[in-house]
Each structure stands twice: as structure tokens, then as C-alpha cells.
Amino acid sequence: HDTANAMATSIATGALRLTGTDRQTFVQGMVSNDVAGLKPGQGCHAAFLDNTGHILAELHIHIFAESLLIETDARCVARLATTLDKYLIMEDVEIADVSSEWAIVSVQGDGARAELATVLATPIPDLAALDNIEIETVDNAAGYLVAVAHSLKGGYDLWLPIDAAQAVTARLLNCGATLIGEKAAEILRIEAGIAAWGSEL
């Protein structure tokens, strides 16, 4: 494969949206990484553990101005939502499973930023790993862009409303990106040494 070109693939994921004034302090006590110190536009990689240290879910946590988004494997999302809800007592937090509202188009490779510029009306700034920005596509769909590596070359995940993802993917392919399937995406992940829940984790 030629990793000098941008590669696009769709990702099946689970997503929980947390709102309420206590959302970050609540998640801080539930996961393995420091969430309380994150500011809107930042994110982190974390694990959700049981009381003996087994990994129940691998997480990417994204901080926005009015909400917090927990991204996890689709197989983990229902159990994670139930467990988090069980530990809510007096905290001002509401948890919603928004997995069905979003599609993720991942664009990876050296050409990822240039390819995304062809479908976004929002300029792409330099982003650190797991930083996010709100974006608008040239078709006026609103979503998020997250800097995240699923390959050696790195890239971005484009979070889009379900009904917007197909058109954006078609635009990317028309502009020179290569659509890859699940098997190729898995090869790229393993080559990059990125662990995944259900496999290495």
C-alpha cells in the first residue's frame, strides 16, 4: 500500500455524551487518565477498569465547551453507559448514548490534511494528538474533527451526522483519497503498533 496518499475508512464506534456541570469531575473518578485538567478542544486516551484492574473498555475522551464525549468500542458502549449511570448519585451529569447519531470517517496518511481541506469549510489548524475542533463541511453539515492516528502516518477522524457521511466520503474519493476496508485498516493499525480492545487489550 502507498501511505503517501490519504486513505479514508469508516469506523464503527460507540459514543456517550455527558452533559451537566459535574461531567469532568465525575469521569475523572471513573477512568485511568487525568480528565479534570483538560480544556475544551482537548482529549485523552484512557481505560475504564474493574476493581481488579481488568480493562472493561478502552476510551477516547473528547472535551467540548458544553459537553464531554466518550468514544469506545461499539461492543462496550451499553455496559459502559449502565455502569456509569449506576455510580451517579448526586452529581449534575446526564448520560446519553449518541452512537446512532454519528458516523466517523477516518482520513489517514501524509495527504490527510490536504484531502480534508477539500471537504471542509473550516480551516484546519495544527492539532496535538486527540485535540478537536468543531467543523462545517462544504455541504453545511456540522461536526467535529479529531487528530488521531490509526496508522504510522497519523491522520484525523471526522465526526459527521449519519446522513452527511456518505456525501463527504464521496467527495474525498473524488479528490484522490483511497477508500480502504476493515481488513486493510486493521493491517495499518498493527503495523503502527496501536493496541485495540478485544485484540491486544
Side-chain angles (χ1 to χ4, degrees), residues 109-194:
D110 289 331
R113 188 168 176 172
E115 290 293 341
L116 283 165
T118 68
V119 299
L120 298 183
T122 308
I124 304 172
D126 292 331
L127 298 173
L130 293 180
D131 279 2
N132 68 77
I133 57 167
E134 295 186 25
I135 57 88
E136 185 174 324
T137 71
V138 293
D139 298 317
N140 301 314
Y144 305 105
L145 185 69
V146 180
V148 60
H150 299 294
S151 66
L152 281 168
K153 296 292 185 177
Y156 304 86
D157 282 355
L158 185 56
W159 288 65
L160 296 165
I162 289 285
D163 57 0
Q166 187 171 354
V168 170
T169 301
R171 281 184 180 273
L172 286 167
L173 299 183
N174 287 338
C175 292
T178 301
L179 183 66
I180 65 170
E182 186 175 331
K183 184 175 181 180
E186 180 74 350
I187 291 169
L188 291 173
R189 178 190 71 78
I190 293 168
E191 285 179 347
I194 299 170

Side-chain angles (χ1 to χ4, degrees), residues 30 70 125 136:
M30 297 285 109
I70 297 177
E136 185 174 324

Side-chain angles (χ1 to χ4, degrees), residues 21-29 31-46 61-64 68 130-132:
T21 57
D22 298 327
R23 60 187 180 273
Q24 272 184 250
T25 53
F26 172 67
V27 173
Q28 173 77 9
V31 303
S32 64
N33 206 345
D34 181 14
V35 176
L38 297 176
K39 296 178 173 57
Q42 295 181 318
C44 72
H45 187 210
I61 299 171
H62 310 292
I63 307 298
F64 303 103
L68 177 155
L130 293 180
D131 279 2
N132 68 77

